[in-house]
């Protein structure tokens, strides 16, 4: 059940993030990827019929803070409070917040966006 949930969740969230931001999204570390980019992962902290958890989104860019901040604002505007429902998954994202991430490479701007979620994969 977890593998199926993970696959459907990652595909859905990756598509929503790409649609919102217009940049490449990855559900794991993307060391060789170009900038700007989004890397995301999730943790579940409660399970019953509906899984509850936290989606963590790392947004990085190398052309200045304004570029990254615009992506952050688009993601929060589009996804905070969003409900997505199709034949595979019901997903509610809420409680969006963002914070800066320090980087030793001062040419890179990084922001962390977190959203809580409730999700149900259908047919699993």
């Amino acid at each position: 059940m977890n593998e199926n949930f993970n696959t459907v969740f990652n595909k859905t969230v990756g598509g929503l993030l790409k649609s919102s931001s217009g940049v490449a999204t990855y559900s794991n570390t993307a060391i060789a990827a170009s900038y700007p980019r989004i890397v995301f992962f999730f943790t579940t902290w409660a399970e019953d019929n509906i899984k509850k958890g936290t989606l963590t989104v790392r947004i990085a860019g190398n052309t200045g803070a304004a570029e990254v901040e615009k992506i952050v604002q688009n993601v929060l505007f589009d996804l905070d409070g969003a409900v997505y429902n199709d034949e595979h998954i019901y997903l509610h994202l809420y409680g969006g917040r963002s914070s800066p991430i320090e980087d030793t490479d001062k040419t890179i701007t990084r922001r962390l966006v977190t959203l809580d979620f409730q999700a149900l994969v259908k047919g699993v």
Side-chain angles (χ1 to χ4, degrees):
M1 181 170 174
N2 271 348
E3 184 174 278
N4 215 358
F5 175 85
N6 293 353
T7 301
V8 173
F9 186 89
N10 283 338
K11 183 178 178 182
T12 301
V13 168
L16 292 172
L17 287 168
K18 183 166 180 54
S19 175
S20 175
S21 67
V23 303
T25 62
Y26 304 90
S27 61
N28 54 29
T29 304
I31 294 171
S34 62
Y35 292 105
R37 68 175 174 232
I38 292 176
V39 178
F40 67 94
F41 60 94
F42 69 92
T43 53
T44 53
W45 40 264
E47 288 189 41
D48 45 35
N49 289 337
I50 295 182
K51 290 191 182 209
K52 298 174 184 169
T54 301
L55 172 65
T56 302
V57 181
R58 291 184 301 222
I59 301 170
N62 63 354
T63 60
E67 171 193 44
V68 172
E69 189 59 35
K70 181 179 179 192
I71 295 168
V72 167
Q73 292 308 313
N74 286 345
V75 166
L76 286 172
F77 180 81
D78 290 346
L79 300 186
D80 189 14
V83 174
Y84 181 82
N85 191 19
D86 68 11
E87 66 273 11
H88 303 291
I89 190 170
Y90 163 82
L91 176 63
H92 176 210
L93 297 159
Y94 59 94
R97 52 220 177 266
S98 71
S99 59
I101 301 172
E102 289 297 320
D103 197 307
T104 56
D105 183 346
K106 298 304 177 196
T107 65
I108 307 296
T109 302
R110 297 183 194 275
R111 294 284 296 219
L112 184 70
V113 173
T114 54
L115 294 138
D116 295 323
F117 70 83
Q118 295 180 357
L120 172 67
V121 172
K122 301 172 185 176
V124 177

